[in-house]
Amino acid sequence: MDCIFCKIVSGEIPSKKAYEDENVLAFYDLEPQAPVHILVIPKEHITSAAEIDESNSSVISKIFEAIAKIAKELDLKDGFRVVTNCGDAAGQTVKHLHYHLLGGRDFTWPPG
Ligand code: 5GP
Ligand code: ZN
């Protein structure tokens, strides 16, 4: 499958890893939008949050366990933001489910 993030999982495209286990990979975003900007993804290809169902949802809890671990390790104790863009209108450019973990600055709400 021609998917950039599957290629990052396989090592075909290099990445700067922040965390890895059997099911989850986290790596630094190429175009950081905050001092800390990490993408946390399932190793299995899931297209977006719209494709989560009973057959694949167990990895979502693993992703959020990883996010909490990374936030502790990077000392994001003032707060951080987790975002997933789902579909074109939300600005999803890579069609492999990913959670942006953003930290190291303040964030506004609501988002643009
Ligand atoms: P989206 O726009 O789909 O929510 O987020 C995709 C993110 O992937 C963007 O923030 C973009 O900078 C990042 N990205 C795209 N290609 C690569 C890549 O090859 N390596 C890394 N590390 N990040 C990438
Ligand atoms: Zn993929």
Side-chain angles (χ1 to χ4, degrees):
M1 187 189 305
D2 198 23
C3 170
I4 297 173
F5 287 179
C6 283
K7 288 180 181 166
I8 286 177
V9 169
S10 72
E12 195 179 327
I13 295 176
S15 66
K16 186 183 169 199
K17 287 178 190 171
Y19 173 86
E20 183 169 19
D21 65 29
E22 199 187 335
N23 307 108
V24 176
L25 179 66
F27 54 95
Y28 285 83
D29 198 292
L30 267 189
E31 290 181 44
Q33 303 301 318
V36 174
H37 187 172
I38 291 169
L39 300 170
V40 190
I41 72 169
K43 287 187 171 178
E44 167 196 4
H45 183 89
I46 300 171
T47 304
S48 75
E51 306 302 322
I52 298 167
D53 61 25
E54 305 93 321
S55 75
N56 58 22
S57 62
S58 61
V59 74
I60 306 303
S61 58
K62 301 295 176 198
I63 285 172
F64 277 87
E65 287 173 30
I67 287 170
K69 274 184 202 156
I70 297 163
K72 277 194 193 79
E73 200 176 297
L74 299 184
D75 203 25
L76 299 178
K77 56 181 171 337
D78 290 342
F80 57 87
R81 182 165 287 178
V82 179
V83 178
T84 188
N85 297 320
C86 178
D88 293 335
Q92 183 182 9
T93 58
V94 178
K95 303 297 198 265
H96 179 130
L97 178 64
H98 52 282
Y99 292 84
H100 297 259
L101 167 56
L102 299 146
R105 67 169 169 86
D106 291 345
F107 298 95
T108 57
W109 191 264

